[in-house]
Amino acid sequence: MIIEVNLEKPKLINEKNTIYAAYDKAFYVVDENGAYLPYIATFFNLPQQKNAMVSVVKVKWERMPVRDYRILPKDKVQVEPNKTIVSSKYLGLYRRYPVHALKIYPVQYDNNRKELRWIKSLRLEIRGQIDNSRKSVSPLTKATQKFTKTLFINQSEQIYQLPKPQLSTLNKKEQFANENPALRYSQIYKIAVNEEGIYKITYEDLKDAGYPLEFTNPQKLRLFNKGLEVPVYFEGAKDGKFDPGDFFEFWGEPNEKTFIKTNPEQYKDPFSDENIYWLVLSDENGRRLVDESGGLINTAPGTYIRPYAFRETLHFEKDGAYINFGHYTANVNNPAYQIDHWYYDRGIAAVESRTYEFDLPYPFQYGSQVFVKAAFRGFSIDTKMNGPGKGHQLTLWLNDRKVAEVKPEDEWKAQTVRFISNNEIGGLPQSNLEHGKNLLRIDMEQTGVTDVVLLNWFEISYLRKYRADNDYIKFRVQENLPRNLTPQFEIDGFKEKTIQVYKLGVSKIINTRIDVYTDNTDRLTSYRISFQDEVFDPKVEYVALTEKQKKKPLSIKEYKSWKRLLPQVSLLDKSNKANYLIITDNLFYVNATRIKLFQNNKGFQTEVVRVE
Ligand SMILES: [Ca+2]
Ligand SMILES: [Ca+2]
């Protein structure tokens, strides 16, 4: 492979009364005479996994006199005796492309003559041998072309990759166990959300975020979250172009329950509620929500059944006060993710009764199906409560119905977690719930001791009517429906008629019926959506909402590799080690790279990482 390099005259930077040569994106070395010189690093692709031979075929120098060039004292820095003007090294594989680094040292300084010479043009020959590789399948897709073009200096018809590795699925899984699969693709953008809902991303949204839509075949777009592909609903992808009017939708959730398996009180994520959905461009088609007909087909009596209520579980949690637990060593020694530090308030202290208001939508009126679960942590550490048969005391009430009670003899001690529920006792009556405002009350009656507890969160599980609240409802099929009948969902309560239904992870339901309906019991007149679906899996969830209730993400941003000059190096790559890590804002990046050079010269391998 022959490479022609043409270089511009280097910029001369005057700093602290010395001058040094500079190129954009250059790195720096110090030569054996102490001259501070730029070099350029780039990558090429060759079908071999060992170092290649690079030789200079032709070089044309230019010279200019420079006084006061930056010469560093040799005893203070690590010099690189470097007689060559080019060097190359095999770095490793990126995907299946062998990546070789090419370094060009285009500037030399002669301190006796006070003369700088620089390479104006250079012809290189790179020789390798064909290993076990093959040329990329041609023609390359636009996305791959764009990616190889940015990474390698090769012409695009000269890109080689290794054959697909013959790994078993298990091995492959092990190899990438901790890797974010989204980073294997190109055009990586991060969509941040912190609320549950249907998100709609339009042409304009992506254009505003700088997404290169003109190169994008929407069929090849894929969305990943926490290592798994998320199916999206796409409108306008058939023509292979992402143009105005096109959009996609997906079900988004906040980042939560990260530690709930090991620490059941940690419902929220202790570090961030922002969840990242990775939008990438792939060579393969992405997962899609399909259109599924929900037409009212079974109309004869005795063929369909209308479910009237489903089980809804709502989580209530407020970060009202941060509690340190500073004086209790067992808690101080726990890492932050093992113990929730955020509570409703600074605690409920005996003798006291405190009430917490919360909103519930449309409870069904009949039966005894209401279950409450609340997470508390003790706060007071009164030594009088250390003995046997002593502990915190509280009674939990829902709208003046007793849920459960903890007695001192239950020995709930000091600052430990306690879950309180009526799951074992039996459900409270549905008629005890109101649509809208409801009350959870905590009574603490213990006297003669200091008894303080903290409310972390509570959950109400109840039967809910199929009625939208604020033009939105997430629902599922009613429990224990007869299996020989087709469920016909009828959901009213909508103020607008632009109602759409999604079967989460599966489909968007079309051919639904939307009409104006007046409820027999409460005479509410509203828009109603009806559809039939043969699903009896009680875990399948649906969302029905109006167009206005679709959400927009917090942000859409291009993903920037932590190591921007070597984007092909994964964070988990073993070659990524450093003795000294500088984490900085973009603002200080240039100065930080100078510290990096200084530390490198002292023998510490140093990395600079920019925060976003
Ligand atoms: Ca289109
Ligand atoms: Ca909390």
Side-chain angles (χ1 to χ4, degrees), residues 201-210 213 242-246 556:
I201 312 290
T202 62
Y203 172 87
E204 285 74 22
D205 293 333
L206 289 177
K207 199 163 172 265
D208 290 347
L213 289 159
F242 207 136
D243 28 33
D246 293 356
I556 305 175

Side-chain angles (χ1 to χ4, degrees), residues 317 319 340 342-343 456-457:
E317 182 167 7
D319 292 347
D340 196 341
W342 285 97
Y343 294 85
N456 190 351
W457 50 257

Side-chain angles (χ1 to χ4, degrees), residues 265-268 315 317-321 340-344 455-457:
E265 69 161 345
Q266 285 277 29
Y267 188 93
K268 291 190 171 187
H315 179 90
E317 182 167 7
K318 193 179 127 193
D319 292 347
D340 196 341
H341 287 277
W342 285 97
Y343 294 85
Y344 263 78
L455 174 62
N456 190 351
W457 50 257

